[in-house]
C-alpha cells in the first residue's frame, strides 16, 4: 500500500474506530516514517466528538464537523489529494488544474 498509494484518506467516525480497518490504518501509519505520514495520510473527521487515534493527532485534520467551514475543508482536502509529493511528480497535475469541482455537500445528509 505504501508503494501504490500516494495518499490515503481516512474517514474518521465512531464506526470506523471500532472496526478492523482502523487497526490496519494505525499499523500502516506506524510503518511510515514520521515525515511521510503527513504527506500520505489525510484524516477526515466526519462525526463530532470522534476520538482521534494518537498517531494521527499530529497530522493536519480535515474537520467537516465545524460549522461554516465545509468549503474551506473541501478546498484543503482537494489540494492535499492532488499535490505531488516532494520526491515524485504527478503526471495528472496538468489535467487536474482545469477540473471543476461540484458544490460541496454535507456528509451527514443535511442541507445547509
Amino acid at each position: 500500500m505504501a508503494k501504490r498509494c500516494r495518499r490515503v484518506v481516512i474517514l474518521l467516525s465512531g464506526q470506523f474506530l471500532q472496526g478492523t480497518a482502523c487497526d490496519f490504518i494505525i499499523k500502516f501509519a506506524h510503518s511510515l516514517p514520521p515525515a511521510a505520514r503527513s504527506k500520505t495520510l489525510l484524516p477526515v473527521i466526519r462525526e463530532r466528538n470522534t476520538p482521534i487515534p494518537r498517531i494521527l493527532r499530529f497530522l493536519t485534520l480535515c474537520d467537516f464537523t465545524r460549522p461554516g467551514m465545509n468549503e474551506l475543508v473541501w478546498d484543503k482536502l482537494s489540494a492535499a489529494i492532488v499535490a505531488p509529493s516532494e520526491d515524485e511528480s504527478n503526471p495528472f497535475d496538468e489535467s487536474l488544474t482545469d477540473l471543476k469541482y461540484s458544490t460541496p455537500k454535507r456528509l451527514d445528509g443535511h442541507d445547509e
Side-chain angles (χ1 to χ4, degrees):
M1 190 166 158
K3 294 178 183 177
R4 293 183 190 185
C5 300
R6 288 185 337 106
R7 306 282 185 268
V8 176
V9 177
I10 306 166
L11 189 59
L12 296 170
S13 66
Q15 187 176 2
F16 170 79
L17 295 173
Q18 296 172 4
T20 57
C22 181
D23 289 336
F24 174 78
I25 290 296
I26 299 295
K27 290 173 183 168
F28 177 69
H30 277 292
S31 73
L32 294 172
R37 288 179 199 151
S38 63
K39 295 174 190 166
T40 305
L41 302 175
L42 303 171
V44 175
I45 302 173
R46 182 178 165 210
E47 297 173 350
R48 286 182 193 234
N49 302 321
T50 299
I52 310 301
R54 187 176 309 181
I55 195 161
L56 302 177
R57 287 184 190 157
F58 301 102
L59 302 177
T60 301
L61 300 169
C62 292
D63 189 350
F64 281 97
T65 65
R66 299 174 90 191
M69 298 295 287
N70 279 350
E71 186 173 337
L72 177 65
V73 174
W74 274 117
D75 290 344
K76 185 168 75 168
L77 181 59
S78 65
I81 289 172
V82 298
S85 299
E86 291 176 12
D87 58 338
E88 63 187 25
S89 63
N90 183 348
F92 302 105
D93 275 345
E94 292 177 18
S95 63
L96 289 174
T97 57
D98 297 328
L99 188 63
K100 303 294 182 210
Y101 296 98
S102 62
T103 304
K105 298 190 190 267
R106 290 179 55 124
L107 295 174
D108 60 9
H110 293 97
D111 292 333
E112 289 187 290

